[in-house]
Every structure is written in structure tokens, then in C-alpha cells.
Amino acid sequence: MLRLLLLLLAPLLLAATFGPVRPGVPLRFPTDHGAHPDFRTEWWYVTGWLNTAQGRKGFQITFFRTRPDIDTANPSAFVPRQVIFAHAALADPAHGKLRHAARIARAGFGLANARVGDMDVTLDDWRLWRGKDGRLHAKLAGDGFAFDLAFTPTQPVILQGEAGFSRKGPGAGEASHYYSWPHLAVAGRLGGQAVTGTAWLDREWSSTLMNSRAVGWDWLGLNMDDGSAVTLFRMRDKAGAALWAGGSHRSKSGVLSVLKPEDVRWQAGGWWQSPRSKARWPVRPVLALRVGGNWRELPVTPMMADQELDSRMSGGPVYWEGAVTVPGGRGYLELTGYAAPLRM
């Protein structure tokens, strides 16, 4: 999905020439774990569930890179040729709402960088990287939480869409290069406590904004208990109908099914209204996907209703990003455009 950095930096992203997203471009690893600075924006998005002595908790770690529309011939070291932005959050039912933190800085000056060639994104003392042993690592802290986590791959990546070319709308240019890495085994520390768990990595890079008729999107990534993995998304118009939808299902035996718009059904389900923003969020959607001609229904239950993140103080939107379960699995749900239509 076109993640939230586009909202935060939309005033900078005017008419410019960026790298095009094209079908038939093979993804190569480890190179594509790293940054793609010719494209307008990209993100490294890790979500998951942690097992703690106090019960399960959800977490989100997201790093973004964007290339603003500026005069790259300007020799000044202060020109923001690349900007790095990051979000982190902890969902703890005992706390009742998200603990979250955000940072932003231009690349350079030893403050922020997104490495080309392999995964290594830094922002001050926050870092997400791939080690020589092939594991991913994240180390960062916010108010009331601190992550020092390692993610061990147990399955290969999923190339979303057409071998990594993922359409996001009816227009030819509305697409991203997109892969996911489900069923990452988590080990490390949450503050001073040892934790384990499971996680999911989403990686996308793109140079296109959402369709002009879209007001927001919904996205769901699920690690299923049997080892399968499910990705579902839709782009919504102002009437709440899907302008585009898609996703994937990879079976426990490794068979990948790419979902077309007609293979995804998304119903709003139960709603929760925020006492702060007054936005109403469909936090209990009922989803269905068609694989091999057979429909499967997935009713979604949030870990807790209040997983709203209000980033308006930093120029961003109000959105809902939360840990959820379905029968036989768990993952993360992202909802945008319900507090107000997204303007890009």
C-alpha cells in the first residue's frame, strides 16, 4: 500500500520525474531489501505479535524514505534529497490504547540514511537492518516502550501481484513494486523483558499516488496458524466502494494464489468511535477471499478497539493501525480515510 508518508510529505511531492513502476521487472535479493532512491517513496513495514509474561501485545515498526521534488543540482548539503520518516507503536490491552512515537529527518549529516544494496535504515538511534546471518534486526525506543528485536525468516518472501508488480488502481500507472515476508520468528527484548513472537514484513516502493477518486484504503496481513499467509487490500471511493482490491494467499504447502478485485469481499462490520478524533472506524470487518474457486470468510477481531494513531500534530492524518485476529490466525489491519478523505 501507499503508506502514510505520502500524506505527511504530500506538499513536497509535486511534478517531478521519478523511477517508473513497470511490470516484468524482476525483484532481486538482497538488493531489493535496500533502498530505491530514484523512486518517489518506499517503506519497510514490520508488524507482529509478542508473547510476554503479561500476555500478547502487538507492535508496529515502520521506516519510510521519500525523494522530495527539489532541484537536485543544488550543491548545498542542506538540500533534502532524501527524507527518512519512522513510526513505532505498541498495542497493549492492559494500557488500553497505543503507545507510539515518530521521527523524521533528511538523509545525511549522520542523522538518517537508507542504504542501497541491502536493508539498513537509520534515523537517529532508531535502526532496522539485515544482518550477515540473514536475520532482520530492529532497535528503537519511544515513550513507554523499547524494542530490541531479531526476526528470523522461516519462509521465503511473497512476490505480490504480478511477480512483484502490484496494481493499486484502475489506472495504468497506479502500482508499486511489492513483496511481503510472512511468518518471521521474533526473539529479543521489550524493555527489560525477554519476548518471542511472530511478525510480518511489507516492502513497497512506488512513484505514483492513489487514484484521484480514492479517499482511503484498507489493508490486512495475516500469519495463519497452519503456516499459510493472507494479504488483502482495497482502495475506497467516497461512497465506500472498492475502486480496486487485491491481495494474495499462500498455502501451507507454498502454493501462491494472486487475488484479483473480484476475489476479495470487504464488509465494514462492527464500528468503534474514537473519543478523541470522533472518527468512526470499522474495526471488525468481515472479509472473504476466493481461492481455487472457493470462498473463505474471515471475520476480524481487534486486540483492542482503540488502536488509533493521531499524527496531525506532525502534519499527518488520523489513522487506525492495529493487531487483530481471525479464526486460525493473527496479523495487522490498517484503516485510512475514515477521519477525513485523504488529500494527496
Side-chain angles (χ1 to χ4, degrees):
M1 302 298 297
L2 291 176
R3 298 259 178 229
L4 301 163
L5 182 61
L6 298 178
L7 309 178
L8 299 168
L9 298 175
L12 295 176
L13 304 178
L14 306 175
T17 301
F18 299 100
V21 177
R22 297 192 180 104
V25 177
L27 300 191
R28 295 184 172 89
F29 302 103
T31 301
D32 282 323
H33 294 318
H36 303 81
D38 290 339
F39 289 79
R40 172 176 286 179
T41 192
E42 66 184 314
W43 47 88
W44 296 256
Y45 175 67
V46 185
T47 55
W49 285 60
L50 299 176
N51 304 313
T52 77
Q54 297 77 36
R56 285 176 169 151
K57 302 179 183 182
F59 73 94
Q60 173 209 154
I61 300 169
T62 313
F63 283 80
F64 310 90
R65 178 211 55 80
T66 192
R67 177 184 157 200
D69 181 19
I70 50 122
D71 179 10
T72 56
N74 189 321
S76 173
F78 292 94
V79 172
R81 292 175 174 82
Q82 304 286 339
V83 177
I84 310 297
F85 183 84
H87 266 177
L90 178 69
D92 182 354
H95 186 64
K97 62 180 181 179
L98 289 184
R99 291 185 171 96
H100 61 87
R103 295 192 179 185
I104 187 170
R106 74 189 69 190
F109 300 99
L111 299 176
N113 187 58
R115 178 186 168 192
V116 174
D118 206 343
M119 186 184 304
D120 194 351
V121 196
T122 57
L123 180 48
D124 295 330
D125 58 347
W126 289 19
R127 187 183 181 195
L128 175 67
W129 75 100
R130 196 178 75 94
K132 293 181 179 179
D133 58 1
R135 296 193 301 168
L136 313 182
H137 301 265
K139 192 169 185 178
L140 59 149
D143 186 13
F145 65 91
F147 299 131
D148 187 356
L149 303 173
F151 309 96
T152 301
T154 66
Q155 297 182 2
V157 301
I158 295 174
L159 303 183
Q160 300 284 3
E162 303 167 24
F165 173 81
S166 175
R167 294 179 62 100
K168 294 300 189 293
E174 296 160 4
S176 67
H177 293 299
Y178 181 14
Y179 72 88
S180 304
W181 214 340
H183 288 284
L184 298 168
V186 184
R189 304 194 72 81
L190 173 61
Q193 182 181 170
V195 294
T196 60
T198 57
W200 177 294
L201 170 75
D202 249 24
R203 282 283 289 119
E204 293 192 67
W205 53 100
S206 179
S207 295
T208 50
L209 297 176
M210 59 197 291
N211 184 276
S212 61
R213 292 183 291 140
V215 300
W217 63 79
D218 306 321
W219 173 92
L220 179 68
L222 295 170
N223 286 321
M224 304 302 288
D225 295 343
D226 66 357
S228 61
V230 176
T231 312
L232 298 171
F233 71 86
R234 67 170 181 169
M235 308 295 289
R236 304 185 323 276
D237 65 15
K238 63 181 181 181
L243 280 169
W244 197 261
S248 66
H249 174 273
R250 188 166 70 187
S251 71
K252 59 184 179 181
S253 62
V255 177
L256 179 64
S257 299
V258 176
L259 305 180
K260 299 179 181 179
E262 60 268 25
D263 297 323
V264 177
R265 295 174 181 167
W266 198 300
Q267 295 178 302
W271 295 75
W272 170 77
Q273 184 166 20
S274 167
R276 298 176 300 276
S277 70
K278 309 305 179 184
R280 293 181 70 245
W281 303 98
V283 299
R284 293 179 177 269
V286 178
L287 281 64
L289 64 154
R290 182 169 56 185
V291 178
N294 299 313
W295 284 95
R296 177 181 182 182
E297 191 171 274
L298 293 173
V300 175
T301 301
M303 172 185 281
M304 57 189 190
D306 189 352
Q307 297 184 76
E308 180 187 69
L309 201 158
D310 187 345
S311 63
R312 287 177 294 185
M313 292 295 291
S314 58
V318 181
Y319 64 101
W320 196 97
E321 185 100 27
V324 299
T325 61
V326 299
R330 62 179 55 88
Y332 251 71
L333 172 69
E334 179 179 87
L335 306 169
T336 71
Y338 292 94
L342 303 187
R343 302 299 182 190
M344 297 186 183

